[in-house]
Amino acid sequence: MRSTSVLILLATLAGILSSVEALKEHSHHVKFKRQNPDKSKYPPVLKTPPRSSLPQDWVDALENLQKAGKIPDIPVSTSTDAGIFYPKNLKMSQKEICNWSITGCFGENDVHEAADGVWVVSFDDGPTAASPGLYDFLHSHNQAGTHFMIGSQIVAYMDNAKHALQTQQQLAVHTWSHSLQTTKDNYEVLGELGWTMQIIYDISGRVPKYWRPPQGDVDNRVRAIAEGVFNLTTVMWDAECNDWCIEDNGKSACPGETPGKSQKSVVDAINKALQQPKSPGVMILEHELNKHTVGFFTDYYPRLAGLGWKPLSVPEQLGVNWYHNAVNNDDTPINTTSMLYATVSSAVTKANSTNTNNNNSKVASNGNSNTTGNGNGNGSSKNLLSKSSSSSAQGSVVFFALASVSIAMMLSMMFV
Ligand SMILES: *[C@@H]1O[C@H](CO)[C@@H](O)[C@H](O)[C@H]1NC(C)=O
Ligand SMILES: *[C@@H]1O[C@H](CO)[C@@H](O)[C@H](O)[C@H]1NC(C)=O
Ligand SMILES: *[C@@H]1O[C@H](CO)[C@@H](O)[C@H](O)[C@H]1NC(C)=O
Ligand SMILES: *[C@@H]1O[C@H](CO)[C@@H](O)[C@H](O)[C@H]1NC(C)=O
Ligand SMILES: *[C@@H]1O[C@H](CO)[C@@H](O)[C@H](O)[C@H]1NC(C)=O
Ligand SMILES: *[C@@H]1O[C@H](CO)[C@@H](O)[C@H](O)[C@H]1NC(C)=O
Ligand SMILES: CC(=O)N[C@H]1CO[C@H](CO)[C@@H](O)[C@@H]1O
Ligand SMILES: [Zn+2]
């Protein structure tokens, strides 16, 4: 069942992406033309960025981590019709590998569930032609969502990605070519993550903090590269509705899948999640692929508050800044010359230290704080990035993490 759906998803995405060239002409907004980065700067779309495209500082950072023994020596997996496989003679323990695709294992730093009462708003696979409508809808409700974007899709829909920024949506990483990352070698993973971060930075000035692996395919090797080189946190989910099965024409690409075999089955799965107990909250996997997948969300969204849910983006539920070099989309981000976390971090530290009048009062402090943008989390960028999270918010995040690991594991096994 899983491998069928994996294949269908890949086929669906290939279809969407191949229509991108044609659509590109029409999504051109003259207003933004001069601000767009030169597309020739980026590696070819829909392919894993080649080794020759990798900036030397990323390569050095990866190789230094390898030398220091910080990248587990887990072999690259192979993807077949029957699933994802590591070499048969592999002698590593499940704990060492922590391969989500097969065992549902979460890494120790993964974000994979919501705080009590929180409905996490997040979408994968954008930007697409359907994205602006979603962003406008969210904006009209003063709602931020986390958007895990495909680098190649940003090349094709650059103005739509900028629209996300303008409508107070958080930009995050979903790889360059939307491929299975455990099947990629270390340099390939580096390019898939790094180039997607780079294009997000180029259009927004913001350095992403989160990534979600396509189809959840991640292991401790891939996590170590994401965390060690770029300080990208892996974000998973704890409920599924298989909205991605529904194609542009409204029909299902996975007739054998429940949910997913029909629009009704998707809606039923969402309704089931909406009725779940509030502890932990719900982090449901959704996609901004087309008007149908967006429509599922816009249909149920108005009911969330009445059902007692508080909808928040990923960083809002954690009570942290949205980006490594900016609090959110409102402030002026701190410039950096590289996506390498060490470089970003030192640029931030330098900017912070040149600010003599340090004032932490504007920092995101908890999930209920004014971090959704729209003028509230306003202030000078220089003093925004210092950390002053309230201990109660941190305490509760830790509490939920501990209290509900088993429930989340159960849910992920049930739904996936
Ligand atoms: C990664 O980023 C977070 C938040 O920006 C920061 O608190 C943490 O110290 C960083 N991790 C490393 C290893 O620098
Ligand atoms: C940040 O980068 C932008 C664009 O490259 C540039 O215009 C601006 O002057 C830079 N700001 C600082 C403070 O270096
Ligand atoms: C920080 O700003 C707040 C309000 O914006 C103000 O009340 C406080 O006195 C300031 N603290 C410092 C150290 O400037
Ligand atoms: C958010 O900001 C508004 C006005 O700017 C203020 O009234 C409200 O108390 C703030 N909420 C929190 C949780 O800080
Ligand atoms: C945000 O900053 C701008 C410019 O500094 C200012 O005009 C505006 O009143 C501020 N908004 C809030 C809510 O503080
Ligand atoms: C910024 O400065 C504040 C106050 O000095 C400090 O607490 C905080 O850790 C600094 N943040 C960074 C990212 O350097
Ligand atoms: C730790 C872990 O999750 N390992 C699994 C990864 O995938 C293989 C299939 O090739 C499983 O056999 C492992 O158990
Ligand atoms: Zn995806």
Side-chain angles (χ1 to χ4, degrees):
M1 194 163 92
R2 170 192 305 283
S3 64
T4 317
S5 63
V6 163
L7 285 176
I8 292 166
L9 177 58
L10 287 175
T12 310
L13 276 165
I16 290 162
L17 293 171
S18 62
S19 59
V20 149
E21 276 306 308
L23 288 164
K24 201 154 68 177
E25 300 298 305
H26 303 286
S27 67
H28 230 278
H29 293 196
V30 174
K31 196 173 130 197
F32 290 119
K33 202 175 172 192
R34 291 183 59 183
Q35 298 165 10
N36 281 346
D38 179 1
K39 288 180 183 176
S40 68
K41 165 178 180 182
Y42 303 106
V45 295
L46 307 182
K47 293 190 174 82
T48 294
R51 173 89 189 258
S52 59
S53 73
L54 302 177
Q56 191 58 41
D57 63 336
W58 303 357
V59 172
D60 291 345
L62 172 67
E63 291 178 349
N64 287 337
L65 286 168
Q66 273 169 323
K67 277 179 210 140
K70 297 279 169 59
I71 310 290
D73 203 12
I74 300 167
V76 169
S77 76
T78 309
S79 172
T80 74
D81 287 358
I84 292 154
F85 297 96
Y86 292 100
K88 280 209 173 63
N89 56 357
L90 184 57
K91 289 279 191 315
M92 299 175 94
S93 71
Q94 299 244 320
K95 196 165 175 260
E96 285 171 290
I97 303 172
C98 194
N99 163 14
W100 183 86
S101 294
I102 313 292
T103 58
C105 178
F106 293 122
E108 67 181 303
N109 300 324
D110 291 3
V111 175
H112 55 82
E113 64 191 3
D116 272 9
V118 171
W119 184 276
V120 173
V121 177
S122 72
F123 300 88
D124 289 10
D125 296 359
T128 67
S131 296
L134 171 64
Y135 305 157
D136 288 340
F137 174 87
L138 290 164
H139 194 44
S140 72
H141 290 88
N142 197 17
Q143 177 70 54
T146 298
H147 300 266
F148 295 97
M149 293 187 168
I150 300 171
S152 295
Q153 288 291 94
I154 298 177
V155 173
Y157 293 94
M158 215 168 257
D159 292 340
N160 292 1
K162 287 185 176 179
H163 196 72
L165 193 75
Q166 290 153 357
T167 50
Q168 303 303 341
Q169 302 307 307
Q170 189 212 8
L171 278 55
V173 169
H174 196 44
T175 75
W176 186 258
S177 72
H178 202 264
S179 47
L180 298 170
Q181 295 304 291
T182 69
T183 68
K184 303 292 173 188
D185 71 27
N186 293 352
Y187 296 99
E188 291 173 326
V189 172
L190 198 64
E192 290 276 359
L193 299 175
W195 277 113
T196 309
M197 294 178 75
Q198 183 70 56
I199 196 168
I200 288 175
Y201 177 76
D202 292 344
I203 61 166
S204 72
R206 281 143 179 90
V207 181
K209 282 172 72 176
Y210 301 104
W211 83 291
R212 183 177 273 160
Q215 297 171 48
D217 184 48
V218 66
D219 60 20
N220 277 345
R221 176 180 65 90
V222 174
R223 288 185 186 94
I225 297 167
E227 291 174 16
V229 179
F230 299 118
N231 197 356
L232 281 175
T233 298
T234 305
V235 179
M236 305 298 284
W237 58 85
D238 65 8
E240 286 194 350
C241 63
N242 286 347
D243 60 343
W244 56 266
C245 286
I246 309 302
E247 298 182 296
D248 289 15
N249 63 12
K251 298 200 175 115
S252 175
C254 13
E257 199 95 16
T258 305
K261 64 184 178 190
S262 63
Q263 296 197 25
K264 180 176 180 301
S265 76
V266 174
V267 172
D268 288 348
I270 290 168
N271 285 336
K272 195 171 151 196
L274 286 168
Q275 300 304 327
Q276 268 172 218
K278 298 290 189 300
S279 181
V282 168
M283 189 180 296
I284 189 167
L285 182 62
E286 291 178 86
H287 296 80
E288 53 188 279
L289 282 170
N290 57 49
K291 65 173 190 239
H292 303 290
T293 67
V294 168
F296 295 128
F297 173 81
T298 56
D299 282 353
Y300 78 72
Y301 177 84
R303 285 156 50 208
L304 283 173
L307 290 167
W309 292 107
K310 184 168 181 56
L312 293 172
S313 66
V314 170
E316 287 175 309
Q317 76 133 356
L318 298 170
V320 297
N321 295 336
W322 292 16
Y323 304 99
H324 281 312
N325 66 337
V327 168
N328 54 33
N329 292 0
D330 278 344
D331 64 331
T332 308
I334 292 161
N335 282 4
T336 180
T337 53
S338 165
M339 292 303 96
L340 200 63
Y341 183 69
T343 311
V344 177
S345 171
S346 66
V348 169
T349 306
K350 192 166 161 229
N352 197 13
S353 69
T354 56
N355 174 36
T356 47
N357 182 25
N358 246 312
N359 191 326
N360 293 342
S361 64
K362 304 278 182 25
V363 175
S365 60
N366 62 57
N368 303 324
S369 71
N370 284 318
T371 54
T372 51
N374 303 311
N376 284 333
N378 209 5
S380 145
S381 67
K382 290 180 230 79
N383 55 20
L384 284 171
L385 288 160
S386 45
K387 301 181 78 124
S388 71
S389 299
S390 83
S391 53
S392 69
Q394 280 179 347
S396 59
V397 168
V398 170
F399 171 77
F400 297 130
L402 293 175
S404 45
V405 160
S406 57
I407 297 169
M409 288 282 281
M410 250 168 53
L411 284 173
S412 76
M413 300 301 228
M414 253 164 61
F415 283 106
V416 170

